[in-house]
Amino acid sequence: VGAPQICVAIESIMTDIATCCSLSSEEVRKTNLYMSGDETVYSQPLEDGNLLRCWTEVVERAGLEELKSNVVRFNKENRWKKRGVAVIPTKYPIAFNPATFLNQAGALVLVYLDGSVLLTHGGTEMGQGLH
């Protein structure tokens, strides 16, 4: 079982918690964001936690409340076709504590005289839009 399967399981649990507590799923997820002063499961201290600011900005810029209203209206008007919308923060565990020598990466950036740029990296495209 990999990270995607674990994310599906945990997000299902978060949705169940929201339902049982009569809260929106967004409120449960927002409440469980890392904050400044927290420590990750890899013992990494978070000194400058910007997640709440990022969360708020994403929700506002996306117009989440309007999107949710549109989904509710669409679903009422359509018996067989349904839509949904969600905001889900995800932390992909990439730290290798205590093997800190594995926590490194590199990139080569070449800037040519015509202003074009070539970026070479060692990342792996796994559907996250790296390329």
Side-chain angles (χ1 to χ4, degrees):
V1 175
Q5 293 86 351
I6 291 168
C7 286
V8 168
I10 292 301
E11 290 307 324
S12 295
I13 292 169
M14 296 288 274
T15 300
D16 289 347
I17 291 169
T19 301
C20 289
C21 296
S22 299
L23 297 169
S24 72
S25 60
E26 293 86 14
E27 188 61 31
V28 172
R29 286 171 176 86
K30 179 180 169 184
T31 301
N32 284 279
L33 290 173
Y34 281 125
M35 298 294 175
S36 290
D38 287 348
E39 190 174 274
T40 71
V41 294
Y42 297 102
S43 301
Q44 298 167 320
L46 296 172
E47 297 166 2
D48 297 318
N50 293 312
L51 293 177
L52 185 57
R53 181 188 55 79
C54 291
W55 174 273
T56 303
E57 188 174 327
V58 164
V59 167
E60 288 174 1
R61 284 189 178 194
L64 183 63
E65 292 308 314
E66 182 180 350
L67 290 172
K68 287 169 57 175
S69 297
N70 291 342
V71 165
V72 168
R73 186 179 68 250
F74 180 88
N75 290 344
K76 283 182 182 177
E77 295 171 356
N78 294 276
R79 182 176 179 185
W80 303 110
K81 187 187 271 188
K82 300 297 178 185
R83 292 184 178 164
V85 63
V87 178
I88 300 177
T90 302
K91 176 186 179 288
Y92 189 78
I94 59 170
F96 296 102
N97 280 344
T100 55
F101 63 90
L102 293 173
N103 291 337
Q104 53 188 328
L108 173 63
V109 180
L110 300 173
V111 181
Y112 295 99
L113 293 176
D114 67 355
S116 61
V117 176
L118 173 64
L119 171 64
T120 308
H121 59 83
T124 301
E125 171 60 47
M126 301 182 303
Q128 76 276 33
L130 191 58
H131 295 291

